[in-house]
């Protein structure tokens, strides 16, 4: 069946450094790729998403890149801050479907 | 806040109990979802409702019974659960069924003894 692999499972960085999380998907028909941030005691919150007609999207300190040929996409966080510490989930879906296939999550810790 | 609320936030129940989880969305959305989040596993989609009609049921055991009385409210009725059902149960909503952007509630942490 369809699946999404996410790496690394944990990531520790120093405040101000960059963090990169990578995901690989199996369904070549996927064309919607959201990233969610989940803080302790809260549900996942959408932070950025990308559709397959673009290769990169940026929103302030976060960016997502997509390589459809290789079937992988990545989340980049620059100038990390302690409040970026959370679990990040990638997902993939075919457009106009409700079936988001999630990765297993990356626990990011940003040390001051 | 995302506009999706869930109650209770924590629930402990025995295997013979019957309980219900409640979700309410204040976003005017037409589609609502139940997910199960277990440690070290991807989020699992359980049920999807669009305009109060169930449109997807992902092979979920019958001890989980969803109910959607209107487009703003979603319930998950629990009966004769197993310890392996202990997890965080998340509710989400989206503008329309098939619109990928989903907004999640804070979840109910369920423990089955």
């Amino acid at each position: 069946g369809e699946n999404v692999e996410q790496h690394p499972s944990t990531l520790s960085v120093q405040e101000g450094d960059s963090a990169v999380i990578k995901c690989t998907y199996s369904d070549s028909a996927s064309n919607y790729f959201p990233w969610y941030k989940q803080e302790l005691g809260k549900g996942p919150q959408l932070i950025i998403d990308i559709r397959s007609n673009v290769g990169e999207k940026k929103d302030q300190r976060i960016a997502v890149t997509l390589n459809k040929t290789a079937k992988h996409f990545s989340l980049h966080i620059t100038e990390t801050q302690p409040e970026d510490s959370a679990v990040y989930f990638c997902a993939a879906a075919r457009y106009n479907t409700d079936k988001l296939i999630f990765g297993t999550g990356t626990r990011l810790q940003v040390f001051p | 806040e995302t506009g999706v609320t869930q109650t209770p936030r924590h629930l402990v129940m025995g295997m013979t109990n019957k309980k219900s989880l409640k979700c309410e969305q204040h976003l005017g959305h037409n589609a609502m979802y139940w997910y199960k989040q277990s440690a070290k596993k991807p989020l699992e989609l359980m049920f999807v409702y669009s305009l109060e009609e169930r449109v997807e049921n992902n092979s979920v055991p019958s001890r989980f019974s969803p109910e959607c009385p209107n487009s703003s409210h979603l319930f998950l009725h629990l009966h004769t659960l197993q310890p392996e059902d202990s997890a965080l149960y998340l509710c989400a909503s989206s503008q329309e069924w098939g619109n990928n952007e989903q907004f999640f509630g804070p979840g109910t942490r369920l423990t089955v003894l």
Side-chain angles (χ1 to χ4, degrees), chain A residues 3-8 20-27 30-36 48-52 54-57 63-76 88-93 100-103:
Chain A
N3 74 294
V4 174
E5 293 189 3
Q6 183 172 348
H7 299 283
V20 180
I21 303 170
K22 298 181 179 180
C23 288
T24 304
Y25 59 97
S26 61
D27 182 3
S30 297
N31 47 19
Y32 173 68
F33 307 93
W35 285 90
Y36 285 85
I48 195 167
D49 58 14
I50 191 169
R51 300 194 186 273
S52 61
V54 297
E56 183 174 355
K57 185 177 178 180
V64 57
T65 58
L66 171 65
N67 183 328
K68 282 221 78 179
T69 303
K71 292 194 285 187
H72 65 70
F73 57 111
S74 301
L75 178 71
H76 305 254
Y88 291 81
F89 293 93
C90 64
L100 286 173
I101 308 298
F102 283 86

Side-chain angles (χ1 to χ4, degrees), chain A residues 67-106:
Chain A
N67 183 328
K68 282 221 78 179
T69 303
K71 292 194 285 187
H72 65 70
F73 57 111
S74 301
L75 178 71
H76 305 254
I77 307 174
T78 59
E79 300 171 29
T80 53
Q81 301 167 3
E83 51 265 38
D84 294 328
S85 297
V87 179
Y88 291 81
F89 293 93
C90 64
R94 299 183 183 190
Y95 188 57
N96 281 341
T97 73
D98 281 310
K99 200 157 181 73
L100 286 173
I101 308 298
F102 283 86
T104 48
T106 296

Side-chain angles (χ1 to χ4, degrees), chain B residues 88-109:
Chain B
L88 182 69
Y89 288 86
L90 291 160
C91 174
S93 71
S94 66
Q95 185 69 48
E96 302 290 344
W97 177 46
N99 179 305
N100 296 127
E101 188 170 352
Q102 297 179 21
F103 296 80
F104 285 83
T108 295
R109 174 68 62 188

